[in-house]
Amino acid sequence: MPDIKPTPEMLIRRFSLQPHIENGAFVERHYENAEAGRAESGLIYYYVAPDELTQFHVIDCDEYWCYVAGSPLDIWLLDPDGTLSVQRLGIAEGCEPAVFVRRGVAFASRHTGAPEEGTFLSCVTVPRFSYEGFRMFDREEMIACCPQTAAFYE
């Protein structure tokens, strides 16, 4: 099987990716139809470019980050109790091909792989993502809340 090294141009064109508010680029690909109210689940494709990071944010749904291709990606997780952890998404040694983020956990991602290749992944939310349940944090707010997150921005 050939090694797929996604480029931003190839992925943007192939999947019609658009800039994301957190950084990176995405497209919503699927969501369960809901008779009334919020759909039970949703799926996006997401690309994080080399040397890019996504902003810390919290959502009101569970989210599964699933590796598709490219370099590993570190996902930083800050639990409501203040516990900070880092999980590496990918298939290389020390990585997991899927990372689970529980609702209410503040999280961000940081590209840590080869400088010439990004990371392509899919994210599944349960229930479907909603901007009403989304909050993004700026750098100063995160460091004030948890000084250990300063290392994320270095």
Side-chain angles (χ1 to χ4, degrees), residues 11-28:
L11 292 168
I12 288 167
R13 183 177 56 255
R14 167 72 174 85
F15 297 106
S16 302
L17 301 178
Q18 300 296 314
H20 197 288
I21 190 171
E22 302 161 19
N23 289 331
F26 83 111
V27 64
E28 185 172 42

PDB file of all heavy atoms in Angstrom, residues 11-28:
ATOM      1  N   LEU A  11      -5.879  18.063  -0.352  1.00  0.00           N
ATOM      2  CA  LEU A  11      -7.022  17.807   0.528  1.00  0.00           C
ATOM      3  C   LEU A  11      -8.109  18.867   0.390  1.00  0.00           C
ATOM      4  O   LEU A  11      -9.300  18.539   0.380  1.00  0.00           O
ATOM      5  CB  LEU A  11      -6.557  17.720   1.978  1.00  0.00           C
ATOM      6  CG  LEU A  11      -5.687  16.498   2.280  1.00  0.00           C
ATOM      7  CD1 LEU A  11      -5.031  16.642   3.640  1.00  0.00           C
ATOM      8  CD2 LEU A  11      -6.498  15.224   2.186  1.00  0.00           C
ATOM      9  N   ILE A  12      -7.713  20.114   0.279  1.00  0.00           N
ATOM     10  CA  ILE A  12      -8.699  21.191   0.115  1.00  0.00           C
ATOM     11  C   ILE A  12      -9.515  20.969  -1.153  1.00  0.00           C
ATOM     12  O   ILE A  12     -10.737  21.053  -1.145  1.00  0.00           O
ATOM     13  CB  ILE A  12      -8.004  22.564   0.120  1.00  0.00           C
ATOM     14  CG1 ILE A  12      -7.539  22.891   1.536  1.00  0.00           C
ATOM     15  CG2 ILE A  12      -8.933  23.654  -0.423  1.00  0.00           C
ATOM     16  CD1 ILE A  12      -6.582  24.056   1.639  1.00  0.00           C
ATOM     17  N   ARG A  13      -8.835  20.627  -2.225  1.00  0.00           N
ATOM     18  CA  ARG A  13      -9.523  20.397  -3.497  1.00  0.00           C
ATOM     19  C   ARG A  13     -10.375  19.127  -3.438  1.00  0.00           C
ATOM     20  O   ARG A  13     -11.556  19.132  -3.774  1.00  0.00           O
ATOM     21  CB  ARG A  13      -8.500  20.315  -4.623  1.00  0.00           C
ATOM     22  CG  ARG A  13      -9.096  20.159  -6.002  1.00  0.00           C
ATOM     23  CD  ARG A  13      -8.035  20.150  -7.109  1.00  0.00           C
ATOM     24  NE  ARG A  13      -7.012  19.117  -6.922  1.00  0.00           N
ATOM     25  CZ  ARG A  13      -5.753  19.364  -6.501  1.00  0.00           C
ATOM     26  NH1 ARG A  13      -5.348  20.589  -6.231  1.00  0.00           N
ATOM     27  NH2 ARG A  13      -4.889  18.390  -6.355  1.00  0.00           N
ATOM     28  N   ARG A  14      -9.795  18.037  -3.001  1.00  0.00           N
ATOM     29  CA  ARG A  14     -10.480  16.730  -3.012  1.00  0.00           C
ATOM     30  C   ARG A  14     -11.714  16.712  -2.112  1.00  0.00           C
ATOM     31  O   ARG A  14     -12.742  16.153  -2.447  1.00  0.00           O
ATOM     32  CB  ARG A  14      -9.491  15.647  -2.588  1.00  0.00           C
ATOM     33  CG  ARG A  14     -10.074  14.297  -2.238  1.00  0.00           C
ATOM     34  CD  ARG A  14     -10.570  13.539  -3.464  1.00  0.00           C
ATOM     35  NE  ARG A  14     -10.991  12.205  -3.135  1.00  0.00           N
ATOM     36  CZ  ARG A  14     -12.198  11.867  -2.691  1.00  0.00           C
ATOM     37  NH1 ARG A  14     -13.118  12.787  -2.506  1.00  0.00           N
ATOM     38  NH2 ARG A  14     -12.500  10.615  -2.424  1.00  0.00           N
ATOM     39  N   PHE A  15     -11.622  17.340  -0.929  1.00  0.00           N
ATOM     40  CA  PHE A  15     -12.705  17.248   0.049  1.00  0.00           C
ATOM     41  C   PHE A  15     -13.431  18.571   0.296  1.00  0.00           C
ATOM     42  O   PHE A  15     -14.261  18.660   1.188  1.00  0.00           O
ATOM     43  CB  PHE A  15     -12.174  16.690   1.371  1.00  0.00           C
ATOM     44  CG  PHE A  15     -11.643  15.292   1.226  1.00  0.00           C
ATOM     45  CD1 PHE A  15     -10.283  15.049   1.231  1.00  0.00           C
ATOM     46  CD2 PHE A  15     -12.508  14.224   1.055  1.00  0.00           C
ATOM     47  CE1 PHE A  15      -9.789  13.759   1.089  1.00  0.00           C
ATOM     48  CE2 PHE A  15     -12.026  12.934   0.907  1.00  0.00           C
ATOM     49  CZ  PHE A  15     -10.659  12.696   0.928  1.00  0.00           C
ATOM     50  N   SER A  16     -13.098  19.612  -0.474  1.00  0.00           N
ATOM     51  CA  SER A  16     -13.740  20.934  -0.326  1.00  0.00           C
ATOM     52  C   SER A  16     -13.623  21.462   1.101  1.00  0.00           C
ATOM     53  O   SER A  16     -14.597  21.942   1.683  1.00  0.00           O
ATOM     54  CB  SER A  16     -15.211  20.869  -0.753  1.00  0.00           C
ATOM     55  OG  SER A  16     -15.325  20.428  -2.076  1.00  0.00           O
ATOM     56  N   LEU A  17     -12.424  21.363   1.672  1.00  0.00           N
ATOM     57  CA  LEU A  17     -12.184  21.823   3.039  1.00  0.00           C
ATOM     58  C   LEU A  17     -12.241  23.345   3.119  1.00  0.00           C
ATOM     59  O   LEU A  17     -11.816  24.041   2.201  1.00  0.00           O
ATOM     60  CB  LEU A  17     -10.822  21.341   3.537  1.00  0.00           C
ATOM     61  CG  LEU A  17     -10.603  19.830   3.560  1.00  0.00           C
ATOM     62  CD1 LEU A  17      -9.185  19.516   4.019  1.00  0.00           C
ATOM     63  CD2 LEU A  17     -11.624  19.117   4.428  1.00  0.00           C
ATOM     64  N   GLN A  18     -12.737  23.826   4.240  1.00  0.00           N
ATOM     65  CA  GLN A  18     -12.839  25.259   4.510  1.00  0.00           C
ATOM     66  C   GLN A  18     -12.067  25.577   5.794  1.00  0.00           C
ATOM     67  O   GLN A  18     -11.947  24.721   6.673  1.00  0.00           O
ATOM     68  CB  GLN A  18     -14.306  25.664   4.692  1.00  0.00           C
ATOM     69  CG  GLN A  18     -15.172  25.388   3.477  1.00  0.00           C
ATOM     70  CD  GLN A  18     -14.734  26.219   2.282  1.00  0.00           C
ATOM     71  OE1 GLN A  18     -14.489  27.409   2.389  1.00  0.00           O
ATOM     72  NE2 GLN A  18     -14.635  25.572   1.124  1.00  0.00           N
ATOM     73  N   PRO A  19     -11.566  26.806   5.953  1.00  0.00           N
ATOM     74  CA  PRO A  19     -10.870  27.165   7.195  1.00  0.00           C
ATOM     75  C   PRO A  19     -11.778  26.957   8.410  1.00  0.00           C
ATOM     76  O   PRO A  19     -12.981  27.204   8.361  1.00  0.00           O
ATOM     77  CB  PRO A  19     -10.556  28.646   7.011  1.00  0.00           C
ATOM     78  CG  PRO A  19     -10.566  28.859   5.540  1.00  0.00           C
ATOM     79  CD  PRO A  19     -11.600  27.912   4.992  1.00  0.00           C
ATOM     80  N   HIS A  20     -11.173  26.474   9.491  1.00  0.00           N
ATOM     81  CA  HIS A  20     -11.901  26.238  10.736  1.00  0.00           C
ATOM     82  C   HIS A  20     -11.563  27.340  11.734  1.00  0.00           C
ATOM     83  O   HIS A  20     -10.439  27.831  11.764  1.00  0.00           O
ATOM     84  CB  HIS A  20     -11.531  24.867  11.314  1.00  0.00           C
ATOM     85  CG  HIS A  20     -12.485  24.372  12.332  1.00  0.00           C
ATOM     86  ND1 HIS A  20     -12.572  24.898  13.589  1.00  0.00           N
ATOM     87  CD2 HIS A  20     -13.414  23.388  12.278  1.00  0.00           C
ATOM     88  CE1 HIS A  20     -13.504  24.270  14.272  1.00  0.00           C
ATOM     89  NE2 HIS A  20     -14.037  23.335  13.495  1.00  0.00           N
ATOM     90  N   ILE A  21     -12.508  27.699  12.566  1.00  0.00           N
ATOM     91  CA  ILE A  21     -12.327  28.763  13.556  1.00  0.00           C
ATOM     92  C   ILE A  21     -11.187  28.454  14.529  1.00  0.00           C
ATOM     93  O   ILE A  21     -10.533  29.348  15.038  1.00  0.00           O
ATOM     94  CB  ILE A  21     -13.653  29.030  14.316  1.00  0.00           C
ATOM     95  CG1 ILE A  21     -13.546  30.274  15.167  1.00  0.00           C
ATOM     96  CG2 ILE A  21     -14.068  27.822  15.134  1.00  0.00           C
ATOM     97  CD1 ILE A  21     -14.872  30.715  15.753  1.00  0.00           C
ATOM     98  N   GLU A  22     -10.915  27.168  14.786  1.00  0.00           N
ATOM     99  CA  GLU A  22      -9.849  26.761  15.720  1.00  0.00           C
ATOM    100  C   GLU A  22      -8.478  26.694  15.044  1.00  0.00           C
ATOM    101  O   GLU A  22      -7.498  26.443  15.715  1.00  0.00           O
ATOM    102  CB  GLU A  22     -10.132  25.361  16.270  1.00  0.00           C
ATOM    103  CG  GLU A  22     -11.411  25.201  16.982  1.00  0.00           C
ATOM    104  CD  GLU A  22     -11.809  23.733  17.072  1.00  0.00           C
ATOM    105  OE1 GLU A  22     -10.951  22.841  16.913  1.00  0.00           O
ATOM    106  OE2 GLU A  22     -12.992  23.488  17.289  1.00  0.00           O
ATOM    107  N   ASN A  23      -8.422  26.819  13.746  1.00  0.00           N
ATOM    108  CA  ASN A  23      -7.288  26.591  12.841  1.00  0.00           C
ATOM    109  C   ASN A  23      -7.528  25.281  12.117  1.00  0.00           C
ATOM    110  O   ASN A  23      -8.461  24.555  12.416  1.00  0.00           O
ATOM    111  CB  ASN A  23      -5.923  26.610  13.524  1.00  0.00           C
ATOM    112  CG  ASN A  23      -5.528  27.997  13.974  1.00  0.00           C
ATOM    113  OD1 ASN A  23      -5.927  28.984  13.368  1.00  0.00           O
ATOM    114  ND2 ASN A  23      -4.756  28.084  15.044  1.00  0.00           N
ATOM    115  N   GLY A  24      -6.673  24.980  11.175  1.00  0.00           N
ATOM    116  CA  GLY A  24      -6.904  23.808  10.354  1.00  0.00           C
ATOM    117  C   GLY A  24      -8.001  24.069   9.334  1.00  0.00           C
ATOM    118  O   GLY A  24      -8.464  25.200   9.159  1.00  0.00           O
ATOM    119  N   ALA A  25      -8.405  23.018   8.651  1.00  0.00           N
ATOM    120  CA  ALA A  25      -9.458  23.105   7.639  1.00  0.00           C
ATOM    121  C   ALA A  25     -10.347  21.879   7.768  1.00  0.00           C
ATOM    122  O   ALA A  25      -9.884  20.796   8.119  1.00  0.00           O
ATOM    123  CB  ALA A  25      -8.839  23.175   6.251  1.00  0.00           C
ATOM    124  N   PHE A  26     -11.637  22.039   7.462  1.00  0.00           N
ATOM    125  CA  PHE A  26     -12.571  20.948   7.689  1.00  0.00           C
ATOM    126  C   PHE A  26     -13.735  20.989   6.693  1.00  0.00           C
ATOM    127  O   PHE A  26     -13.954  21.976   6.002  1.00  0.00           O
ATOM    128  CB  PHE A  26     -13.135  21.012   9.106  1.00  0.00           C
ATOM    129  CG  PHE A  26     -14.292  21.966   9.249  1.00  0.00           C
ATOM    130  CD1 PHE A  26     -15.575  21.479   9.482  1.00  0.00           C
ATOM    131  CD2 PHE A  26     -14.119  23.337   9.124  1.00  0.00           C
ATOM    132  CE1 PHE A  26     -16.652  22.350   9.598  1.00  0.00           C
ATOM    133  CE2 PHE A  26     -15.180  24.207   9.240  1.00  0.00           C
ATOM    134  CZ  PHE A  26     -16.456  23.717   9.476  1.00  0.00           C
ATOM    135  N   VAL A  27     -14.503  19.905   6.713  1.00  0.00           N
ATOM    136  CA  VAL A  27     -15.783  19.849   6.016  1.00  0.00           C
ATOM    137  C   VAL A  27     -16.655  18.854   6.777  1.00  0.00           C
ATOM    138  O   VAL A  27     -16.186  17.803   7.210  1.00  0.00           O
ATOM    139  CB  VAL A  27     -15.627  19.430   4.529  1.00  0.00           C
ATOM    140  CG1 VAL A  27     -15.079  18.025   4.379  1.00  0.00           C
ATOM    141  CG2 VAL A  27     -16.958  19.573   3.796  1.00  0.00           C
ATOM    142  N   GLU A  28     -17.905  19.233   6.981  1.00  0.00           N
ATOM    143  CA  GLU A  28     -18.843  18.295   7.588  1.00  0.00           C
ATOM    144  C   GLU A  28     -19.270  17.312   6.509  1.00  0.00           C
ATOM    145  O   GLU A  28     -19.664  17.707   5.412  1.00  0.00           O
ATOM    146  CB  GLU A  28     -20.053  19.029   8.160  1.00  0.00           C
ATOM    147  CG  GLU A  28     -20.984  18.107   8.907  1.00  0.00           C
ATOM    148  CD  GLU A  28     -22.082  18.831   9.640  1.00  0.00           C
ATOM    149  OE1 GLU A  28     -22.658  19.784   9.076  1.00  0.00           O
ATOM    150  OE2 GLU A  28     -22.361  18.447  10.775  1.00  0.00           O
TER     151      GLU A  28
END
